[in-house]
PDB file of all heavy atoms in Angstrom:
ATOM      1  N   ALA F   1     129.529  99.001 143.119  1.00 97.00           N
ATOM      2  CA  ALA F   1     128.876  99.933 142.255  1.00 97.00           C
ATOM      3  C   ALA F   1     128.487 101.154 142.985  1.00 97.00           C
ATOM      4  O   ALA F   1     127.984 100.994 144.220  1.00 97.00           O
ATOM      5  CB  ALA F   1     127.682  99.230 141.565  1.00 97.00           C
ATOM      6  N   VAL F   2     128.745 102.301 142.358  1.00 97.00           N
ATOM      7  CA  VAL F   2     128.463 103.601 143.068  1.00 97.00           C
ATOM      8  C   VAL F   2     127.399 104.323 142.227  1.00 97.00           C
ATOM      9  O   VAL F   2     127.566 104.341 141.044  1.00 97.00           O
ATOM     10  CB  VAL F   2     129.705 104.385 143.349  1.00 97.00           C
ATOM     11  CG1 VAL F   2     129.434 105.748 143.838  1.00 97.00           C
ATOM     12  CG2 VAL F   2     130.678 103.621 144.229  1.00 97.00           C
ATOM     13  N   GLY F   3     126.442 105.013 142.925  1.00 97.00           N
ATOM     14  CA  GLY F   3     125.478 105.741 142.119  1.00 97.00           C
ATOM     15  C   GLY F   3     125.390 107.202 142.910  1.00 97.00           C
ATOM     16  O   GLY F   3     125.539 107.236 144.210  1.00 97.00           O
ATOM     17  N   LEU F   4     125.230 108.323 142.157  1.00 96.00           N
ATOM     18  CA  LEU F   4     125.024 109.693 142.671  1.00 96.00           C
ATOM     19  C   LEU F   4     124.321 110.440 141.686  1.00 96.00           C
ATOM     20  O   LEU F   4     124.288 110.174 140.512  1.00 96.00           O
ATOM     21  CB  LEU F   4     126.479 110.154 143.171  1.00 96.00           C
ATOM     22  CG  LEU F   4     127.547 110.383 142.118  1.00 96.00           C
ATOM     23  CD1 LEU F   4     128.644 111.145 142.611  1.00 96.00           C
ATOM     24  CD2 LEU F   4     128.115 109.008 141.718  1.00 96.00           C
ATOM     25  N   ARG F   5     123.693 111.484 142.280  1.00 96.00           N
ATOM     26  CA  ARG F   5     122.916 112.363 141.278  1.00 96.00           C
ATOM     27  C   ARG F   5     122.999 113.863 141.701  1.00 96.00           C
ATOM     28  O   ARG F   5     123.274 114.134 142.965  1.00 96.00           O
ATOM     29  CB  ARG F   5     121.428 112.013 141.325  1.00 96.00           C
ATOM     30  CG  ARG F   5     120.647 112.113 142.659  1.00 96.00           C
ATOM     31  CD  ARG F   5     119.239 111.786 142.483  1.00 96.00           C
ATOM     32  NE  ARG F   5     118.536 111.727 143.737  1.00 96.00           N
ATOM     33  CZ  ARG F   5     117.884 112.803 144.234  1.00 96.00           C
ATOM     34  NH1 ARG F   5     117.744 114.004 143.565  1.00 96.00           N
ATOM     35  NH2 ARG F   5     117.075 112.714 145.286  1.00 96.00           N
ATOM     36  N   SER F   6     122.895 114.640 140.750  1.00 96.00           N
ATOM     37  CA  SER F   6     122.805 116.174 140.915  1.00 96.00           C
ATOM     38  C   SER F   6     121.394 116.615 140.564  1.00 96.00           C
ATOM     39  O   SER F   6     120.462 115.788 140.469  1.00 96.00           O
ATOM     40  CB  SER F   6     123.877 116.787 140.052  1.00 96.00           C
ATOM     41  OG  SER F   6     123.610 116.636 138.669  1.00 96.00           O
ATOM     42  N   ASN F   7     121.236 117.924 140.356  1.00 96.00           N
ATOM     43  CA  ASN F   7     119.971 118.402 140.021  1.00 96.00           C
ATOM     44  C   ASN F   7     119.680 118.215 138.578  1.00 96.00           C
ATOM     45  O   ASN F   7     118.452 118.423 138.122  1.00 96.00           O
ATOM     46  CB  ASN F   7     119.958 119.931 140.186  1.00 96.00           C
ATOM     47  CG  ASN F   7     119.866 120.333 141.764  1.00 96.00           C
ATOM     48  OD1 ASN F   7     119.415 119.505 142.595  1.00 96.00           O
ATOM     49  ND2 ASN F   7     120.404 121.382 142.109  1.00 96.00           N
ATOM     50  N   THR F   8     120.644 117.806 137.794  1.00 95.00           N
ATOM     51  CA  THR F   8     120.417 117.598 136.335  1.00 95.00           C
ATOM     52  C   THR F   8     120.842 116.288 135.800  1.00 95.00           C
ATOM     53  O   THR F   8     120.431 115.800 134.725  1.00 95.00           O
ATOM     54  CB  THR F   8     121.292 118.674 135.573  1.00 95.00           C
ATOM     55  OG1 THR F   8     122.680 118.544 135.942  1.00 95.00           O
ATOM     56  CG2 THR F   8     120.773 120.104 135.904  1.00 95.00           C
ATOM     57  N   HIS F   9     121.596 115.425 136.578  1.00 97.00           N
ATOM     58  CA  HIS F   9     122.093 114.162 136.019  1.00 97.00           C
ATOM     59  C   HIS F   9     122.092 113.083 137.189  1.00 97.00           C
ATOM     60  O   HIS F   9     122.122 113.446 138.442  1.00 97.00           O
ATOM     61  CB  HIS F   9     123.491 114.270 135.532  1.00 97.00           C
ATOM     62  CG  HIS F   9     123.630 115.098 134.249  1.00 97.00           C
ATOM     63  ND1 HIS F   9     123.801 116.452 134.380  1.00 97.00           N
ATOM     64  CD2 HIS F   9     123.666 114.832 133.012  1.00 97.00           C
ATOM     65  CE1 HIS F   9     123.821 117.018 133.044  1.00 97.00           C
ATOM     66  NE2 HIS F   9     123.824 115.940 132.318  1.00 97.00           N
ATOM     67  N   ALA F  10     121.981 111.883 136.704  1.00 97.00           N
ATOM     68  CA  ALA F  10     122.283 110.694 137.685  1.00 97.00           C
ATOM     69  C   ALA F  10     123.382 109.939 136.933  1.00 97.00           C
ATOM     70  O   ALA F  10     123.494 109.763 135.765  1.00 97.00           O
ATOM     71  CB  ALA F  10     121.007 109.816 137.694  1.00 97.00           C
ATOM     72  N   VAL F  11     124.261 109.413 137.898  1.00 98.00           N
ATOM     73  CA  VAL F  11     125.439 108.698 137.432  1.00 98.00           C
ATOM     74  C   VAL F  11     125.725 107.487 138.092  1.00 98.00           C
ATOM     75  O   VAL F  11     125.415 107.455 139.369  1.00 98.00           O
ATOM     76  CB  VAL F  11     126.743 109.688 137.677  1.00 98.00           C
ATOM     77  CG1 VAL F  11     127.967 108.865 137.365  1.00 98.00           C
ATOM     78  CG2 VAL F  11     126.651 110.991 136.710  1.00 98.00           C
ATOM     79  N   LEU F  12     126.072 106.441 137.317  1.00 98.00           N
ATOM     80  CA  LEU F  12     126.481 105.082 137.935  1.00 98.00           C
ATOM     81  C   LEU F  12     127.896 104.838 137.570  1.00 98.00           C
ATOM     82  O   LEU F  12     128.301 104.973 136.328  1.00 98.00           O
ATOM     83  CB  LEU F  12     125.560 104.022 137.472  1.00 98.00           C
ATOM     84  CG  LEU F  12     124.083 104.032 137.799  1.00 98.00           C
ATOM     85  CD1 LEU F  12     123.310 102.944 137.243  1.00 98.00           C
ATOM     86  CD2 LEU F  12     123.874 104.146 139.278  1.00 98.00           C
ATOM     87  N   VAL F  13     128.701 104.393 138.487  1.00 97.00           N
ATOM     88  CA  VAL F  13     130.039 103.968 138.228  1.00 97.00           C
ATOM     89  C   VAL F  13     130.263 102.549 138.837  1.00 97.00           C
ATOM     90  O   VAL F  13     129.849 102.366 140.037  1.00 97.00           O
ATOM     91  CB  VAL F  13     131.088 104.891 138.946  1.00 97.00           C
ATOM     92  CG1 VAL F  13     132.495 104.595 138.539  1.00 97.00           C
ATOM     93  CG2 VAL F  13     130.771 106.436 138.497  1.00 97.00           C
ATOM     94  N   ALA F  14     130.740 101.680 138.017  1.00 96.00           N
ATOM     95  CA  ALA F  14     130.859 100.259 138.530  1.00 96.00           C
ATOM     96  C   ALA F  14     132.157  99.701 138.260  1.00 96.00           C
ATOM     97  O   ALA F  14     132.952 100.073 137.319  1.00 96.00           O
ATOM     98  CB  ALA F  14     129.859  99.360 137.776  1.00 96.00           C
ATOM     99  N   LEU F  15     132.545  98.808 139.150  1.00 94.00           N
ATOM    100  CA  LEU F  15     133.805  98.103 139.128  1.00 94.00           C
ATOM    101  C   LEU F  15     133.680  96.697 138.483  1.00 94.00           C
ATOM    102  O   LEU F  15     132.923  96.014 138.958  1.00 94.00           O
ATOM    103  CB  LEU F  15     134.404  97.943 140.494  1.00 94.00           C
ATOM    104  CG  LEU F  15     135.919  97.297 140.551  1.00 94.00           C
ATOM    105  CD1 LEU F  15     136.878  98.352 139.907  1.00 94.00           C
ATOM    106  CD2 LEU F  15     136.228  96.902 141.926  1.00 94.00           C
ATOM    107  N   ASN F  16     134.216  96.540 137.321  1.00 92.00           N
ATOM    108  CA  ASN F  16     134.114  95.266 136.537  1.00 92.00           C
ATOM    109  C   ASN F  16     134.999  94.174 137.139  1.00 92.00           C
ATOM    110  O   ASN F  16     136.182  94.554 137.591  1.00 92.00           O
ATOM    111  CB  ASN F  16     134.495  95.437 135.147  1.00 92.00           C
ATOM    112  CG  ASN F  16     133.580  96.475 134.424  1.00 92.00           C
ATOM    113  OD1 ASN F  16     132.389  96.692 134.800  1.00 92.00           O
ATOM    114  ND2 ASN F  16     134.059  97.230 133.452  1.00 92.00           N
ATOM    115  N   ARG F  17     134.522  92.960 137.139  1.00 85.00           N
ATOM    116  CA  ARG F  17     135.332  91.915 137.721  1.00 85.00           C
ATOM    117  C   ARG F  17     135.527  90.762 136.684  1.00 85.00           C
ATOM    118  O   ARG F  17     134.689  90.489 136.000  1.00 85.00           O
ATOM    119  CB  ARG F  17     134.591  91.385 138.996  1.00 85.00           C
ATOM    120  CG  ARG F  17     135.199  90.138 139.547  1.00 85.00           C
ATOM    121  CD  ARG F  17     134.429  89.734 140.823  1.00 85.00           C
ATOM    122  NE  ARG F  17     134.744  90.558 141.965  1.00 85.00           N
ATOM    123  CZ  ARG F  17     134.125  90.535 143.117  1.00 85.00           C
ATOM    124  NH1 ARG F  17     132.959  89.861 143.236  1.00 85.00           N
ATOM    125  NH2 ARG F  17     134.491  91.404 144.111  1.00 85.00           N
ATOM    126  N   GLN F  18     136.707  90.141 136.839  1.00 79.00           N
ATOM    127  CA  GLN F  18     137.028  88.970 136.057  1.00 79.00           C
ATOM    128  C   GLN F  18     136.851  87.699 136.824  1.00 79.00           C
ATOM    129  O   GLN F  18     137.216  87.693 138.052  1.00 79.00           O
ATOM    130  CB  GLN F  18     138.492  89.012 135.621  1.00 79.00           C
ATOM    131  CG  GLN F  18     138.813  90.089 134.424  1.00 79.00           C
ATOM    132  CD  GLN F  18     140.319  89.957 134.217  1.00 79.00           C
ATOM    133  OE1 GLN F  18     141.211  90.272 135.063  1.00 79.00           O
ATOM    134  NE2 GLN F  18     140.672  89.547 133.020  1.00 79.00           N
ATOM    135  N   SER F  19     136.280  86.732 136.339  1.00 75.00           N
ATOM    136  CA  SER F  19     136.089  85.412 137.038  1.00 75.00           C
ATOM    137  C   SER F  19     137.445  84.686 137.060  1.00 75.00           C
ATOM    138  O   SER F  19     137.526  83.713 137.862  1.00 75.00           O
ATOM    139  CB  SER F  19     134.935  84.528 136.527  1.00 75.00           C
ATOM    140  OG  SER F  19     135.290  84.324 135.047  1.00 75.00           O
ATOM    141  N   GLY F  20     138.281  85.031 136.146  1.00 74.00           N
ATOM    142  CA  GLY F  20     139.617  84.317 136.093  1.00 74.00           C
ATOM    143  C   GLY F  20     140.557  85.214 135.093  1.00 74.00           C
ATOM    144  O   GLY F  20     140.067  85.993 134.470  1.00 74.00           O
ATOM    145  N   ASP F  21     141.798  84.820 135.152  1.00 75.00           N
ATOM    146  CA  ASP F  21     142.807  85.565 134.375  1.00 75.00           C
ATOM    147  C   ASP F  21     142.529  85.458 132.914  1.00 75.00           C
ATOM    148  O   ASP F  21     142.893  86.235 132.116  1.00 75.00           O
ATOM    149  CB  ASP F  21     144.148  85.089 134.707  1.00 75.00           C
ATOM    150  CG  ASP F  21     144.651  85.480 136.114  1.00 75.00           C
ATOM    151  OD1 ASP F  21     144.049  86.467 136.680  1.00 75.00           O
ATOM    152  OD2 ASP F  21     145.589  84.883 136.576  1.00 75.00           O
ATOM    153  N   LEU F  22     141.926  84.273 132.463  1.00 74.00           N
ATOM    154  CA  LEU F  22     141.589  84.093 130.988  1.00 74.00           C
ATOM    155  C   LEU F  22     140.314  84.524 130.568  1.00 74.00           C
ATOM    156  O   LEU F  22     139.830  84.356 129.429  1.00 74.00           O
ATOM    157  CB  LEU F  22     141.656  82.599 130.761  1.00 74.00           C
ATOM    158  CG  LEU F  22     143.048  81.828 131.124  1.00 74.00           C
ATOM    159  CD1 LEU F  22     143.074  80.475 130.777  1.00 74.00           C
ATOM    160  CD2 LEU F  22     144.167  82.538 130.314  1.00 74.00           C
ATOM    161  N   ALA F  23     139.495  85.090 131.512  1.00 78.00           N
ATOM    162  CA  ALA F  23     138.149  85.588 131.211  1.00 78.00           C
ATOM    163  C   ALA F  23     138.082  87.053 131.046  1.00 78.00           C
ATOM    164  O   ALA F  23     139.002  87.860 131.468  1.00 78.00           O
ATOM    165  CB  ALA F  23     137.222  85.233 132.323  1.00 78.00           C
ATOM    166  N   SER F  24     137.148  87.449 130.260  1.00 80.00           N
ATOM    167  CA  SER F  24     136.927  89.000 130.122  1.00 80.00           C
ATOM    168  C   SER F  24     136.256  89.589 131.252  1.00 80.00           C
ATOM    169  O   SER F  24     135.689  88.808 132.060  1.00 80.00           O
ATOM    170  CB  SER F  24     136.093  89.232 128.851  1.00 80.00           C
ATOM    171  OG  SER F  24     134.853  88.674 128.897  1.00 80.00           O
ATOM    172  N   TYR F  25     136.211  90.864 131.363  1.00 82.00           N
ATOM    173  CA  TYR F  25     135.492  91.519 132.449  1.00 82.00           C
ATOM    174  C   TYR F  25     133.958  91.442 132.215  1.00 82.00           C
ATOM    175  O   TYR F  25     133.505  91.647 131.024  1.00 82.00           O
ATOM    176  CB  TYR F  25     135.959  92.930 132.528  1.00 82.00           C
ATOM    177  CG  TYR F  25     137.312  93.170 133.076  1.00 82.00           C
ATOM    178  CD1 TYR F  25     138.504  93.283 132.308  1.00 82.00           C
ATOM    179  CD2 TYR F  25     137.497  93.220 134.533  1.00 82.00           C
ATOM    180  CE1 TYR F  25     139.673  93.409 132.823  1.00 82.00           C
ATOM    181  CE2 TYR F  25     138.800  93.433 135.028  1.00 82.00           C
ATOM    182  CZ  TYR F  25     139.883  93.540 134.253  1.00 82.00           C
ATOM    183  OH  TYR F  25     141.043  93.656 134.778  1.00 82.00           O
ATOM    184  N   GLN F  26     133.271  91.198 133.287  1.00 86.00           N
ATOM    185  CA  GLN F  26     131.799  91.150 133.304  1.00 86.00           C
ATOM    186  C   GLN F  26     131.297  92.582 133.181  1.00 86.00           C
ATOM    187  O   GLN F  26     131.733  93.492 133.928  1.00 86.00           O
ATOM    188  CB  GLN F  26     131.153  90.479 134.401  1.00 86.00           C
ATOM    189  CG  GLN F  26     131.481  88.962 134.385  1.00 86.00           C
ATOM    190  CD  GLN F  26     130.877  88.281 135.634  1.00 86.00           C
ATOM    191  OE1 GLN F  26     130.869  88.866 136.742  1.00 86.00           O
ATOM    192  NE2 GLN F  26     130.400  87.047 135.492  1.00 86.00           N
ATOM    193  N   LYS F  27     130.244  92.774 132.404  1.00 89.00           N
ATOM    194  CA  LYS F  27     129.665  94.047 132.342  1.00 89.00           C
ATOM    195  C   LYS F  27     128.719  94.285 133.520  1.00 89.00           C
ATOM    196  O   LYS F  27     127.932  93.448 133.907  1.00 89.00           O
ATOM    197  CB  LYS F  27     128.918  94.262 131.022  1.00 89.00           C
ATOM    198  CG  LYS F  27     129.716  94.341 129.834  1.00 89.00           C
ATOM    199  CD  LYS F  27     128.974  94.561 128.474  1.00 89.00           C
ATOM    200  CE  LYS F  27     129.737  94.621 127.397  1.00 89.00           C
ATOM    201  NZ  LYS F  27     130.859  95.738 127.391  1.00 89.00           N
ATOM    202  N   LYS F  28     128.846  95.446 134.089  1.00 93.00           N
ATOM    203  CA  LYS F  28     128.035  95.825 135.323  1.00 93.00           C
ATOM    204  C   LYS F  28     126.926  96.846 135.111  1.00 93.00           C
ATOM    205  O   LYS F  28     125.979  97.042 135.984  1.00 93.00           O
ATOM    206  CB  LYS F  28     128.947  96.319 136.387  1.00 93.00           C
ATOM    207  CG  LYS F  28     129.947  95.427 137.002  1.00 93.00           C
ATOM    208  CD  LYS F  28     129.399  94.263 137.818  1.00 93.00           C
ATOM    209  CE  LYS F  28     128.707  94.881 138.958  1.00 93.00           C
ATOM    210  NZ  LYS F  28     129.564  95.531 140.014  1.00 93.00           N
ATOM    211  N   LEU F  29     127.035  97.454 134.004  1.00 96.00           N
ATOM    212  CA  LEU F  29     125.997  98.515 133.599  1.00 96.00           C
ATOM    213  C   LEU F  29     125.079  98.085 132.460  1.00 96.00           C
ATOM    214  O   LEU F  29     125.522  97.565 131.534  1.00 96.00           O
ATOM    215  CB  LEU F  29     126.641  99.818 133.227  1.00 96.00           C
ATOM    216  CG  LEU F  29     127.529 100.381 134.202  1.00 96.00           C
ATOM    217  CD1 LEU F  29     128.097 101.743 133.759  1.00 96.00           C
ATOM    218  CD2 LEU F  29     126.825 100.684 135.608  1.00 96.00           C
ATOM    219  N   ILE F  30     123.705  98.166 132.623  1.00 96.00           N
ATOM    220  CA  ILE F  30     122.805  97.589 131.615  1.00 96.00           C
ATOM    221  C   ILE F  30     121.767  98.715 131.332  1.00 96.00           C
ATOM    222  O   ILE F  30     121.136  99.312 132.283  1.00 96.00           O
ATOM    223  CB  ILE F  30     121.981  96.430 132.287  1.00 96.00           C
ATOM    224  CG1 ILE F  30     122.967  95.225 132.716  1.00 96.00           C
ATOM    225  CG2 ILE F  30     121.006  95.845 131.269  1.00 96.00           C
ATOM    226  CD1 ILE F  30     122.416  94.106 133.397  1.00 96.00           C
ATOM    227  N   ARG F  31     121.604  98.873 130.044  1.00 97.00           N
ATOM    228  CA  ARG F  31     120.508  99.832 129.557  1.00 97.00           C
ATOM    229  C   ARG F  31     119.153  99.258 129.661  1.00 97.00           C
ATOM    230  O   ARG F  31     118.954  98.115 129.259  1.00 97.00           O
ATOM    231  CB  ARG F  31     120.894 100.197 128.079  1.00 97.00           C
ATOM    232  CG  ARG F  31     119.840 101.121 127.504  1.00 97.00           C
ATOM    233  CD  ARG F  31     120.127 101.340 126.036  1.00 97.00           C
ATOM    234  NE  ARG F  31     119.072 102.093 125.301  1.00 97.00           N
ATOM    235  CZ  ARG F  31     117.968 101.516 124.844  1.00 97.00           C
ATOM    236  NH1 ARG F  31     117.777 100.291 124.965  1.00 97.00           N
ATOM    237  NH2 ARG F  31     117.014 102.538 124.258  1.00 97.00           N
ATOM    238  N   ILE F  32     118.247 100.018 130.209  1.00 97.00           N
ATOM    239  CA  ILE F  32     116.816  99.610 130.406  1.00 97.00           C
ATOM    240  C   ILE F  32     116.053 100.310 129.277  1.00 97.00           C
ATOM    241  O   ILE F  32     115.252  99.711 128.569  1.00 97.00           O
ATOM    242  CB  ILE F  32     116.215  99.823 131.721  1.00 97.00           C
ATOM    243  CG1 ILE F  32     117.101  99.160 132.796  1.00 97.00           C
ATOM    244  CG2 ILE F  32     114.773  99.454 131.794  1.00 97.00           C
ATOM    245  CD1 ILE F  32     117.169  97.597 132.568  1.00 97.00           C
ATOM    246  N   ASP F  33     116.205 101.598 129.239  1.00 97.00           N
ATOM    247  CA  ASP F  33     115.449 102.485 128.185  1.00 97.00           C
ATOM    248  C   ASP F  33     116.357 103.639 127.878  1.00 97.00           C
ATOM    249  O   ASP F  33     117.398 103.893 128.516  1.00 97.00           O
ATOM    250  CB  ASP F  33     114.153 102.839 128.707  1.00 97.00           C
ATOM    251  CG  ASP F  33     113.128 103.253 127.508  1.00 97.00           C
ATOM    252  OD1 ASP F  33     113.597 103.421 126.332  1.00 97.00           O
ATOM    253  OD2 ASP F  33     111.964 103.481 127.787  1.00 97.00           O
ATOM    254  N   ASN F  34     115.887 104.532 127.033  1.00 96.00           N
ATOM    255  CA  ASN F  34     116.735 105.721 126.717  1.00 96.00           C
ATOM    256  C   ASN F  34     116.950 106.599 127.929  1.00 96.00           C
ATOM    257  O   ASN F  34     117.838 107.400 128.019  1.00 96.00           O
ATOM    258  CB  ASN F  34     116.025 106.559 125.576  1.00 96.00           C
ATOM    259  CG  ASN F  34     116.230 105.847 124.309  1.00 96.00           C
ATOM    260  OD1 ASN F  34     117.009 105.012 124.068  1.00 96.00           O
ATOM    261  ND2 ASN F  34     115.226 106.160 123.295  1.00 96.00           N
ATOM    262  N   HIS F  35     116.022 106.561 128.890  1.00 96.00           N
ATOM    263  CA  HIS F  35     116.135 107.425 130.041  1.00 96.00           C
ATOM    264  C   HIS F  35     116.552 106.742 131.327  1.00 96.00           C
ATOM    265  O   HIS F  35     116.400 107.288 132.420  1.00 96.00           O
ATOM    266  CB  HIS F  35     114.736 108.076 130.260  1.00 96.00           C
ATOM    267  CG  HIS F  35     113.667 107.138 130.711  1.00 96.00           C
ATOM    268  ND1 HIS F  35     113.304 106.011 130.091  1.00 96.00           N
ATOM    269  CD2 HIS F  35     113.023 107.146 131.937  1.00 96.00           C
ATOM    270  CE1 HIS F  35     112.371 105.367 130.657  1.00 96.00           C
ATOM    271  NE2 HIS F  35     112.168 105.979 131.917  1.00 96.00           N
ATOM    272  N   MET F  36     116.985 105.475 131.211  1.00 97.00           N
ATOM    273  CA  MET F  36     117.222 104.626 132.446  1.00 97.00           C
ATOM    274  C   MET F  36     118.224 103.623 132.186  1.00 97.00           C
ATOM    275  O   MET F  36     118.336 103.019 131.219  1.00 97.00           O
ATOM    276  CB  MET F  36     115.878 104.073 132.858  1.00 97.00           C
ATOM    277  CG  MET F  36     115.945 103.351 134.235  1.00 97.00           C
ATOM    278  SD  MET F  36     114.377 102.448 134.624  1.00 97.00           S
ATOM    279  CE  MET F  36     113.134 103.547 133.858  1.00 97.00           C
ATOM    280  N   GLY F  37     119.052 103.341 133.295  1.00 97.00           N
ATOM    281  CA  GLY F  37     120.042 102.207 133.288  1.00 97.00           C
ATOM    282  C   GLY F  37     120.207 101.758 134.615  1.00 97.00           C
ATOM    283  O   GLY F  37     119.817 102.403 135.599  1.00 97.00           O
ATOM    284  N   ILE F  38     120.819 100.570 134.753  1.00 97.00           N
ATOM    285  CA  ILE F  38     121.087  99.920 136.089  1.00 97.00           C
ATOM    286  C   ILE F  38     122.495  99.569 136.198  1.00 97.00           C
ATOM    287  O   ILE F  38     123.251  99.326 135.280  1.00 97.00           O
ATOM    288  CB  ILE F  38     120.130  98.766 136.363  1.00 97.00           C
ATOM    289  CG1 ILE F  38     120.376  97.622 135.403  1.00 97.00           C
ATOM    290  CG2 ILE F  38     118.594  99.240 136.439  1.00 97.00           C
ATOM    291  CD1 ILE F  38     119.634  96.475 135.704  1.00 97.00           C
ATOM    292  N   ALA F  39     122.964  99.463 137.547  1.00 97.00           N
ATOM    293  CA  ALA F  39     124.168  98.762 137.938  1.00 97.00           C
ATOM    294  C   ALA F  39     123.813  97.687 138.837  1.00 97.00           C
ATOM    295  O   ALA F  39     122.899  97.717 139.657  1.00 97.00           O
ATOM    296  CB  ALA F  39     125.187  99.812 138.625  1.00 97.00           C
ATOM    297  N   ILE F  40     124.627  96.564 138.761  1.00 96.00           N
ATOM    298  CA  ILE F  40     124.290  95.382 139.433  1.00 96.00           C
ATOM    299  C   ILE F  40     125.426  95.008 140.410  1.00 96.00           C
ATOM    300  O   ILE F  40     126.660  95.356 140.183  1.00 96.00           O
ATOM    301  CB  ILE F  40     124.028  94.233 138.500  1.00 96.00           C
ATOM    302  CG1 ILE F  40     125.271  93.826 137.691  1.00 96.00           C
ATOM    303  CG2 ILE F  40     122.784  94.674 137.641  1.00 96.00           C
ATOM    304  CD1 ILE F  40     125.037  92.568 136.860  1.00 96.00           C
ATOM    305  N   ALA F  41     125.175  94.286 141.456  1.00 96.00           N
ATOM    306  CA  ALA F  41     126.183  93.685 142.407  1.00 96.00           C
ATOM    307  C   ALA F  41     125.511  92.433 142.969  1.00 96.00           C
ATOM    308  O   ALA F  41     124.421  92.399 143.480  1.00 96.00           O
ATOM    309  CB  ALA F  41     126.613  94.609 143.589  1.00 96.00           C
ATOM    310  N   GLY F  42     126.181  91.247 142.640  1.00 94.00           N
ATOM    311  CA  GLY F  42     125.659  89.979 143.040  1.00 94.00           C
ATOM    312  C   GLY F  42     125.572  88.974 141.915  1.00 94.00           C
ATOM    313  O   GLY F  42     126.492  89.005 141.107  1.00 94.00           O
ATOM    314  N   LEU F  43     124.572  88.189 141.784  1.00 93.00           N
ATOM    315  CA  LEU F  43     124.462  87.110 140.847  1.00 93.00           C
ATOM    316  C   LEU F  43     124.079  87.693 139.473  1.00 93.00           C
ATOM    317  O   LEU F  43     122.927  88.190 139.299  1.00 93.00           O
ATOM    318  CB  LEU F  43     123.496  86.077 141.267  1.00 93.00           C
ATOM    319  CG  LEU F  43     123.868  85.268 142.498  1.00 93.00           C
ATOM    320  CD1 LEU F  43     122.700  84.247 142.869  1.00 93.00           C
ATOM    321  CD2 LEU F  43     125.079  84.514 142.374  1.00 93.00           C
ATOM    322  N   THR F  44     124.912  87.592 138.544  1.00 92.00           N
ATOM    323  CA  THR F  44     124.664  88.137 137.238  1.00 92.00           C
ATOM    324  C   THR F  44     123.417  87.476 136.505  1.00 92.00           C
ATOM    325  O   THR F  44     122.749  88.135 135.840  1.00 92.00           O
ATOM    326  CB  THR F  44     125.893  87.953 136.352  1.00 92.00           C
ATOM    327  OG1 THR F  44     127.038  88.431 136.965  1.00 92.00           O
ATOM    328  CG2 THR F  44     125.659  88.590 134.956  1.00 92.00           C
ATOM    329  N   SER F  45     123.209  86.221 136.773  1.00 93.00           N
ATOM    330  CA  SER F  45     122.107  85.597 136.112  1.00 93.00           C
ATOM    331  C   SER F  45     120.818  86.101 136.642  1.00 93.00           C
ATOM    332  O   SER F  45     119.821  86.347 135.842  1.00 93.00           O
ATOM    333  CB  SER F  45     122.219  84.023 136.414  1.00 93.00           C
ATOM    334  OG  SER F  45     122.363  83.714 137.783  1.00 93.00           O
TER     335      SER F  45
END
């Protein structure tokens, strides 16, 4: 997951991963509030 910011914006870019060929991609970006979000790396639980 990559994060970067400018004077006006903050951006998160994340690489989604499949646990197997038959599984969907796990979501890496989570909304916390209208003004904030997170990206994760590690144990999803």
Side-chain angles (χ1 to χ4, degrees):
V2 175
L4 56 169
R5 66 179 173 91
S6 66
N7 290 334
T8 58
H9 292 85
V11 172
L12 296 177
V13 183
L15 187 65
N16 302 329
R17 174 177 282 168
Q18 286 177 296
S19 59
D21 291 339
L22 300 179
S24 62
Y25 285 92
Q26 291 180 325
K27 293 185 179 295
K28 295 289 299 295
L29 302 180
I30 302 174
R31 175 187 176 274
I32 302 301
D33 200 350
N34 288 338
H35 70 297
M36 189 190 319
I38 62 173
I40 64 174
L43 296 177
T44 307
S45 54

